[in-house]
Amino acid sequence: MDRFIPLSVPNIKGNEQSYVDDALALEWVSTGGAYITRMEKAVAEYTKTPEAVACQSGTAALHLSLICCGVEPGDEVIVPTLTFVAAVNPVKYAGAEPVFMDCDDSLCMDMDKLALFFEEECDHTGGSLTDRRTGRRIAAVIVVHVFGNIADMEKLMDMGKRYGFPVIEDATEALGSRVEKGRYAGRFAGTIGDIGAYSFNGNKIITTGGGGMIVSSRPGWLDRARYLSTQAKDDPVYFVHNAIGYNYRMTNVQAAIGVGQMERLEDFIETKRKNYRCYIENGIPLLPFREGTRPNYWFYSHLSERRDELVGYLDRNRVQSRPVWRLIHTLKPYEDCRSYRMEKAPYYGDRIINLPCSTNLSEREVARVARTIKQFG
Ligand SMILES: Cc1ncc(COP(=O)(O)O)c(C=O)c1O
């Protein structure tokens, strides 16, 4: 019988095991230890940013990012609808309300529509941006670099400057994606906005089992994120806590896996690039990544008019695939929230199927998936 081909699974075949053994041998298993610092340094050096703060998950990284941006209960935060729900839930953790935006053909937030929203629906007076309909302050924008693509950051950063809001980059899916042309040439996804979050969940381009990282160009923000992620401890001996903190720090064992994975990130991107090309050469069109970027090719998106039937057909042929996420503004906890001129997201939301993209997928297996899709017709 043919091997079951999973959608996206970890690849742990480098130094990860020996680093974990080392962490265990030293009995540094919790939220302190040298591997955490090494992991932070590895991500900071790779993304060419001075510093990084390791967290328990990408979700925790986003929650802390919102706090660092000064988002407060009652504020509004602009978010995309076509993304994983964990990009939006932290807005609610912070007591704020999401406002949902449409995507463009890169699947990332449509910046022209966002500009229209600010012009048509908002007041910009006294340095503050207010949603005219609700009277709420717009405190931040969370932009998601969907599937390893990079959103149009030039337009977004210009709007941030004009209206005075901070930009949070959800780069959870885009570690290693880099801008190659224009004003931000050479900059990595996550390091362009005011603060950025990565995820090392099991299905991401590198994994620590569960884990995340925060990077920021704003002085003091990473110190605050680190402080809040470690229970806001103000005295190392006496239990003095001058703020409400969180238990959001990465553990040394997770970080040991991560240090091993970071050594292999460029190889993973190269494999994903090759397999992406291989699908196309085998006659399966995939959505392109944005011109002028070097994407990390994390997830592959194919369009099908009979998408849900195709998911079932592939499953019966031992190939795992997934329909793209249900649009968040249609999910129960968010159905009463404000959303703005949804057009492209519903189109893509009904048609995208994500195909196997693990880094241990062989070109023969890509050809088998392609053959199965063609048999489906
Ligand atoms: C767009 C997006 N945001 C946030 C997250 C949350 O990351 P984590 O699973 O590490 O909490 C993920 C992935 O899981 C994601 O894909």
Side-chain angles (χ1 to χ4, degrees):
M1 195 192 285
D2 284 331
R3 182 180 93 96
F4 171 75
I5 301 181
L7 180 66
S8 178
V9 290
N11 178 333
I12 316 273
K13 296 182 186 72
N15 290 322
E16 298 88 347
Q17 180 76 57
S18 68
Y19 295 155
V20 169
D21 288 348
D22 183 45
L24 294 179
L26 294 168
E27 297 182 333
W28 281 86
V29 295
S30 194
T31 51
Y35 282 105
I36 303 173
T37 322
R38 276 178 68 180
M39 181 62 181
E40 289 178 333
K41 250 185 111 188
V43 172
E45 277 173 11
Y46 178 90
T47 58
K48 299 194 186 340
T49 189
E51 213 189 326
V53 171
C55 302
Q56 200 52 249
S57 66
T59 311
L62 287 166
H63 186 194
L64 293 177
S65 299
L66 285 159
I67 297 171
C68 289
C69 284
V71 172
E72 296 195 338
D75 284 340
E76 278 180 3
V77 176
I78 311 282
V79 295
T81 189
L82 185 77
T83 185
F84 183 54
V85 72
V88 177
N89 286 340
V91 173
K92 284 287 199 178
Y93 305 164
E97 286 299 317
V99 174
F100 290 97
M101 276 295 139
D102 201 7
C103 66
D104 62 19
D105 292 317
S106 74
L107 307 181
C108 301
M109 190 181 285
D110 183 331
M111 297 307 168
D112 294 329
K113 261 194 191 154
L114 181 62
L116 212 57
F117 175 77
F118 291 143
E119 277 164 31
E120 283 182 346
E121 306 276 333
C122 299
D123 286 325
H124 182 225
T125 45
S128 176
L129 188 63
T130 311
D131 181 341
R132 203 176 299 130
R133 194 185 299 177
T134 61
R136 294 179 193 270
R137 176 178 82 119
I138 293 169
V141 171
I142 297 180
V143 60
V144 179
H145 300 304
V146 177
F147 297 149
N149 217 335
I150 303 187
D152 186 343
M153 291 303 290
E154 292 197 9
K155 281 189 186 156
L156 179 58
M157 295 310 288
D158 284 347
M159 284 187 270
K161 212 166 173 188
R162 174 162 176 211
Y163 294 115
F165 58 78
V167 170
I168 299 171
E169 285 183 79
D170 179 335
T172 49
E173 303 174 358
L175 177 67
S177 298
R178 191 175 58 219
V179 179
E180 298 282 45
K181 284 195 189 137
R183 196 198 309 164
Y184 297 119
R187 301 273 284 274
F188 282 87
T191 68
I192 300 166
D194 296 271
I195 193 161
Y198 299 111
S199 164
F200 313 127
N201 191 17
N203 66 351
K204 295 299 184 288
I205 189 134
I206 68 154
T207 187
T208 58
M213 193 71 73
I214 309 177
V215 292
S216 173
S217 55
R218 293 287 206 108
W221 284 22
L222 290 179
D223 289 341
R224 183 157 165 75
R226 188 178 286 109
Y227 166 77
L228 291 173
S229 74
T230 50
Q231 305 283 24
K233 201 185 290 166
D234 283 288
D235 187 289
V237 178
Y238 296 95
F239 292 93
V240 180
H241 306 267
N242 291 323
I244 293 179
Y246 301 87
N247 184 7
Y248 275 176
R249 187 78 168 147
M250 182 181 279
T251 70
N252 202 43
V253 179
Q254 290 170 313
I257 304 172
V259 170
Q261 290 270 286
M262 280 304 290
E263 294 171 354
R264 307 175 62 212
L265 174 54
E266 275 301 307
D267 289 343
F268 288 162
I269 294 174
E270 180 52 20
T271 304
K272 282 193 180 259
R273 189 191 65 79
K274 275 196 191 141
N275 284 338
Y276 176 88
R277 298 288 335 150
C278 193
Y279 272 107
I280 293 170
E281 281 155 16
N282 278 279
I284 304 302
L286 298 177
L287 290 187
F289 291 90
R290 189 183 295 282
E291 282 270 311
T293 67
R294 192 291 297 256
N296 70 357
Y297 297 93
W298 177 57
F299 250 44
Y300 309 148
S301 305
H302 173 67
L303 290 185
S304 169
E305 293 297 328
R306 292 157 62 213
R307 191 262 317 269
D308 297 327
E309 278 175 69
L310 178 56
V311 171
Y313 184 80
L314 287 172
D315 193 48
R316 288 192 294 283
N317 285 279
R318 301 182 57 70
V319 173
Q320 188 180 37
S321 66
R322 281 284 176 271
V324 74
W325 311 280
R326 180 74 53 87
L327 301 183
I328 302 177
H329 77 281
T330 68
L331 298 178
K332 215 175 193 126
Y334 295 110
E335 63 194 4
D336 295 331
C337 293
R338 186 145 154 65
S339 58
Y340 183 70
R341 296 195 186 200
M342 293 300 170
E343 285 152 342
K344 291 204 165 165
Y347 175 84
Y348 286 115
D350 284 343
R351 288 168 180 78
I352 289 177
I353 173 170
N354 292 121
L355 300 177
C357 59
S358 309
T359 50
N360 47 32
L361 191 68
S362 69
E363 294 194 359
R364 275 179 68 152
E365 287 172 319
V366 172
R368 193 186 116 203
V369 178
R371 249 191 339 269
T372 314
I373 295 172
K374 283 191 262 181
Q375 275 158 14
F376 172 76

